[in-house]
Amino acid sequence: MRIGELAARAGTTPRALRYYETRGLLSARRGENGHRVYDEDDLRLLRQIRTLQDFGFDLEETRPFVECLRAGHPEGDSCPASLDVYRRKLAQLDLLMAELAAVRSQVGEQLVRAERARDALAADALVPGGPEPGCAVFPGDVPGGTTDTHGTEDGHR
C-alpha cells in the first residue's frame, strides 16, 4: 500500500509517517516507480506506536515495542525492553499522581480557609457598623465605586 492509504488506515498523516521513518521507527520500501510501499506489518507497527502515544508515551518510548514486533513477536510488549518501558511509565504516572494529590490537598485547604474568611466577613456584616460585604471584578462593581464607559476607573484594563 502507498503512504496515503497506510496513513488513513493508521489514523495519522503521511507527514507523520515520513517523520517516523526519519526516526527509524518505520522503514519504507520503494516501488518501481520510486513511491514508498508499505504492508500489513507496517500497519501493525503504526497501530502500536499510535496506541502508545494515545496513552502518553513519547515517540522514543515506543521504540522497544516496535523492535519487539520487528523481531517477530506477536505483541510489541512481550519483550523485556518493552516491559521496562511500561515499568518506567507507571513509576512516572505514580509520581505525577502523588504530585497532583498534594496540589489537590493544598487547594482544598485554601478553599476551607477562604470559606471561613468569607463566613467571618458575612458575620461581621450582620453587626451594626460592620463592613459591607461585596466582591467585584472591577472597582466600579462595588457599591459606591465609579467607572468610565470601559468598566474601569482609569479607562484601562
Side-chain angles (χ1 to χ4, degrees), residues 24 44 47 63-64 80 91 116 119 127 141 143 146:
R44 277 184 52 224
R47 285 186 173 151
R63 187 173 303 281
R116 285 184 185 144
D119 293 346
V127 175
D141 293 340
T146 60

Side-chain angles (χ1 to χ4, degrees), residues 9-84:
R9 289 182 64 190
T12 190
T13 65
R15 182 178 179 177
L17 299 186
R18 288 188 294 272
Y19 179 68
Y20 297 159
E21 187 178 335
T22 65
R23 298 291 304 267
L25 293 169
L26 186 63
S27 299
R29 289 152 308 281
R30 299 285 178 163
E32 291 178 14
N33 58 6
H35 292 276
R36 289 175 172 89
V37 178
Y38 301 94
D39 59 23
E40 293 298 320
D41 288 337
D42 296 313
L43 181 59
R44 277 184 52 224
L45 293 177
L46 282 172
R47 285 186 173 151
Q48 180 77 72
I49 292 168
R50 301 282 300 155
T51 298
L52 292 169
Q53 286 190 305
D54 288 346
F55 291 159
F57 287 67
D58 65 38
L59 196 55
E60 195 55 37
E61 289 173 318
T62 69
R63 187 173 303 281
F65 298 85
V66 169
E67 291 171 356
C68 190
L69 286 170
R70 281 190 182 143
H73 295 273
E75 300 293 329
D77 58 6
S78 60
C79 295
S82 302
L83 297 174
D84 287 344

